[in-house]
Amino acid sequence: MSADASRERPLDRLRVLAKQDAMVTPGLRHIEAYTLEGLLTFLWHGDPGCERVVVMCGGAMGGLLGPGNGLYHALGETFAAEGIGSIRIGYRRPNDLAACVLDLAAATDLAHRNGGRRFVLVGHSFGGAVAVNAGIALRAMTAGVVTLSTQSAGCEGAGALQRPLLLVHGDRDELLPVMASQAVRALAGSGELEVLPGAGHLLTEAADHLRDRLHRWIPDVLARPLCDVEASAPGG
């Protein structure tokens, strides 16, 4: 990669051929960006000028609703009413870690161009690795990272995150064992792991608890100045 290419902002690196958007509701915008590597979809809740933004991504198959009976949509609606923006991502190339990290970074870049300054990144399953890696790449703007039923593959560099990290995993996960989240926490050097009794990979059994937990944790982290987040992180 050339020096000029390495300095390009994530949104510019997508080489968007065309885009369109529509207001689904007064508080929800649907954006589609057509690229040579696929269609990238953003569902953007709240005022685009929000300084605090949550960016949420799905698993290896993609998806926009998230686990827990549409957790991402529910959080987007709740946070919008509280002055926090949210973007849900439909990947161009699901299960391609580098491409999906760029998709998440592009969503963050788009929000930043509109006024976003502090971000929490949320990922489910494969998306946990996406969120961790994007958090490392965007560390200067990342206030925290949440992983839900995460895989450990792709998280080997998590020690560089040095940001508040919440890991949630069901003890009945039929695809990825709790030890995957335990491994990511060990790699990161810190993090709060919550194991949900009786919950499977989609965390459906604990959907109400999960919404409440993230509704409390995410605004708390976003409310901290980044200098305080830095100081509270390991090695900060």
Side-chain angles (χ1 to χ4, degrees):
M1 181 181 294
S2 68
D4 288 342
S6 67
R7 288 195 296 268
E8 283 185 306
R9 294 182 63 159
L11 203 54
D12 298 326
R13 290 176 57 195
L14 291 176
R15 302 290 187 264
V16 174
L17 304 173
K19 71 178 182 68
Q20 59 180 356
D21 66 87
M23 295 303 298
V24 180
T25 70
L28 176 60
R29 181 183 298 273
H30 184 159
I31 302 171
E32 293 183 342
Y34 298 87
T35 80
L36 291 175
E37 295 187 340
L39 175 67
L40 178 60
T41 301
F42 297 148
L43 293 180
W44 197 343
H45 295 262
D47 181 352
C50 286
E51 182 177 305
R52 298 172 296 163
V53 184
V54 184
V55 186
M56 300 177 279
C57 59
M61 293 184 179
L64 291 155
L65 286 172
N69 289 332
L71 172 70
Y72 291 172
H73 176 77
L75 289 177
E77 293 289 289
T78 299
F79 287 147
E82 298 173 352
I84 298 173
S86 298
I87 300 178
R88 296 187 270 149
I89 300 171
Y91 302 129
R92 293 169 300 150
R93 290 160 48 190
N95 206 31
D96 182 324
L97 183 57
C100 294
V101 170
L102 179 57
D103 292 344
L104 194 157
T108 304
D109 186 13
L110 178 62
H112 185 267
R113 295 180 191 214
N114 283 271
R117 291 299 178 265
R118 298 195 299 279
F119 297 85
V120 168
L121 312 180
V122 183
H124 174 243
S125 191
F126 161 83
V130 177
V132 167
N133 281 275
I136 294 167
L138 304 170
R139 187 167 171 269
M141 298 186 295
T142 299
V145 170
V146 178
T147 68
L148 307 169
S149 308
T150 191
Q151 65 182 43
S152 57
C155 295
E156 292 81 5
L161 180 61
Q162 304 212 350
R163 287 292 184 264
L165 173 63
L166 174 64
L167 309 99
V168 181
H169 216 113
D171 69 357
R172 294 289 185 88
D173 193 316
E174 64 277 19
L175 298 180
L176 293 167
V178 173
M179 67 179 66
S181 284
Q182 292 171 333
V184 174
R185 183 176 61 174
L187 288 164
S190 70
E192 181 181 354
L193 172 61
E194 181 173 4
V195 179
L196 301 178
H201 189 64
L202 287 177
L203 304 170
T204 307
E205 300 83 355
D208 291 341
H209 170 79
L210 189 60
R211 292 180 190 186
D212 179 68
R213 183 77 168 91
L214 268 59
H215 181 222
R216 289 182 285 111
W217 193 89
I218 290 174
D220 176 67
V221 170
L222 284 170
R224 306 177 198 172
L226 285 177
C227 59
D228 290 348
V229 170
E230 181 80 28
S232 67

